[in-house]
Amino acid sequence: MYKVLLIFFVSLFTTASAANNYTINVSESASYQLGQAQIETLFNKVYAPLDITPHYIFLPSKRGLEQVNAGLYDAEAGRFTIIGNQYKSLLMIPTPLAELKIVLFCIEESFCQLDVNQGFLTISGTLFTEALCESKLLSCNTVINDKSAFIALKKQRAHAIIGNSLFPKGTLCESGLEQVYIREILGQSFPLHHFIHKRHQALLAPLEQSISKLKASGEITVILNEIANEFTHCNGKIIELPPIQLNSSIDDGLILNIMN
């Protein structure tokens, strides 16, 4: 009985402490790509049933993960499973926030290929796309944010951008582009999960329930669709091309690069 009461009070203390001071790290690149307001709206909804109002910090991708893993912050907003699972002090919320795909953005259809003879742009801190460049021996240059990438694409300083399917179409409006081609690569989707530090294990089940309910109600989809459809606000046109299918050996090599 003593042990049961101790566990209860430790859990209660952890939850109360979290409610007063709970910080979620958001990858700096994600904050550029998705927008800070949208991210905060999403996680405020996720944590509302737990009576927690999170604070947010926006750090470079790998540094942020390391600091959450070290316990300096409480949670990691969203990571691909194969990235987040490398950090042993993080617990993954089982229900994914979204299923993302890796895509190419091009202003000419002929450039929407993984061609070693052309140049690509990636966003600083996007570990997955950096691994893809290394795996496929692509010529990739990194820029600080999506706006810089689309402006460079318009000025033809690169042939294509490697991003993900939630990449901010609204930034296309700011770049002055009127249309863009999009082509999926890798031939599969990758789950994006929320991670918490292991000291908050008591929050695991409540967060799973909250995310599941938000997905079932369609609220998460609404937020993500707002991001995905922003280019239409300035009458921009998106042309989707058939996906590029990579063989399993290349996929396995890419996963290995990410894990090392």
Side-chain angles (χ1 to χ4, degrees):
M1 175 64 72
Y2 173 77
K3 288 184 178 180
V4 172
L5 288 174
L6 180 62
I7 292 171
F8 171 77
F9 283 116
V10 168
S11 173
L12 187 64
F13 176 77
T14 301
T15 304
S17 298
N20 294 326
N21 186 19
Y22 192 93
T23 301
I24 298 176
N25 173 62
V26 183
S27 170
E28 200 173 52
S29 61
S31 70
Y32 281 124
Q33 293 182 28
L34 305 184
Q36 293 186 11
Q38 290 93 333
I39 291 171
E40 292 182 12
T41 295
L42 173 59
F43 285 102
N44 286 345
K45 286 180 177 289
V46 168
Y47 279 87
L50 285 66
D51 293 324
I52 295 175
T53 302
H55 303 282
Y56 300 91
I57 188 166
F58 300 87
L59 294 173
S61 186
K62 190 171 183 179
R63 188 204 308 172
L65 270 171
E66 290 172 347
Q67 292 191 9
V68 177
N69 189 61
L72 298 179
Y73 303 107
D74 300 285
E76 179 68 27
R79 293 284 178 165
F80 288 127
T81 310
I82 57 176
I83 298 292
N85 282 345
Q86 295 180 66
Y87 295 84
K88 302 306 180 185
S89 292
L90 300 186
L91 300 175
M92 185 182 76
I93 309 304
T95 297
L97 296 164
E99 297 280 341
L100 303 187
K101 295 185 177 182
I102 307 302
V103 299
L104 294 176
F105 293 84
C106 328
I107 55 174
E108 294 184 28
E109 182 176 353
S110 60
F111 290 143
C112 271
Q113 305 289 340
L114 292 178
D115 188 339
V116 295
N117 296 313
Q118 67 184 46
F120 297 88
L121 294 174
T122 62
I123 308 303
S124 176
T126 51
L127 303 179
F128 205 99
T129 53
E130 290 173 9
L132 175 63
C133 289
E134 182 178 350
S135 175
K136 290 288 290 177
L137 304 177
L138 302 176
S139 176
C140 297
N141 290 314
T142 301
V143 295
I144 190 170
N145 58 45
D146 53 298
K147 182 177 180 180
S148 300
F150 280 124
I151 290 174
L153 192 65
K154 183 183 179 185
K155 293 181 178 179
Q156 298 185 349
R157 293 176 181 168
H159 297 98
I161 300 169
I162 304 175
N164 65 61
S165 52
L166 274 184
F167 210 77
K169 315 310 191 287
T171 309
L172 287 161
C173 298
E174 297 180 45
S175 71
L177 287 168
E178 295 181 356
Q179 74 172 34
V180 67
Y181 292 91
I182 294 181
R183 171 166 271 162
E184 294 176 8
I185 53 180
L186 297 181
Q188 59 183 299
S189 59
F190 297 87
L192 184 74
H193 288 266
H194 184 46
F195 288 82
I196 59 175
H197 190 269
K198 63 183 181 181
R199 69 173 176 271
H200 294 302
Q201 186 169 4
L203 301 180
L204 195 63
L207 284 171
E208 164 68 7
Q209 184 177 28
S210 178
I211 290 174
S212 295
K213 284 184 176 179
L214 287 171
K215 289 195 74 174
S217 70
E219 289 188 69
I220 290 181
T221 302
V222 168
I223 294 172
L224 298 182
N225 283 346
E226 287 177 1
I227 298 168
N229 296 328
E230 283 183 355
F231 193 35
T232 60
H233 296 168
C234 61
N235 299 317
K237 182 179 181 181
I238 294 175
I239 303 171
E240 296 189 12
L241 300 172
I244 297 172
Q245 298 290 335
L246 300 185
N247 62 48
S248 58
S249 62
I250 294 176
D251 288 346
D252 292 342
L254 173 57
I255 300 302
L256 183 62
N257 282 348
I258 293 171
M259 295 298 287
N260 290 335

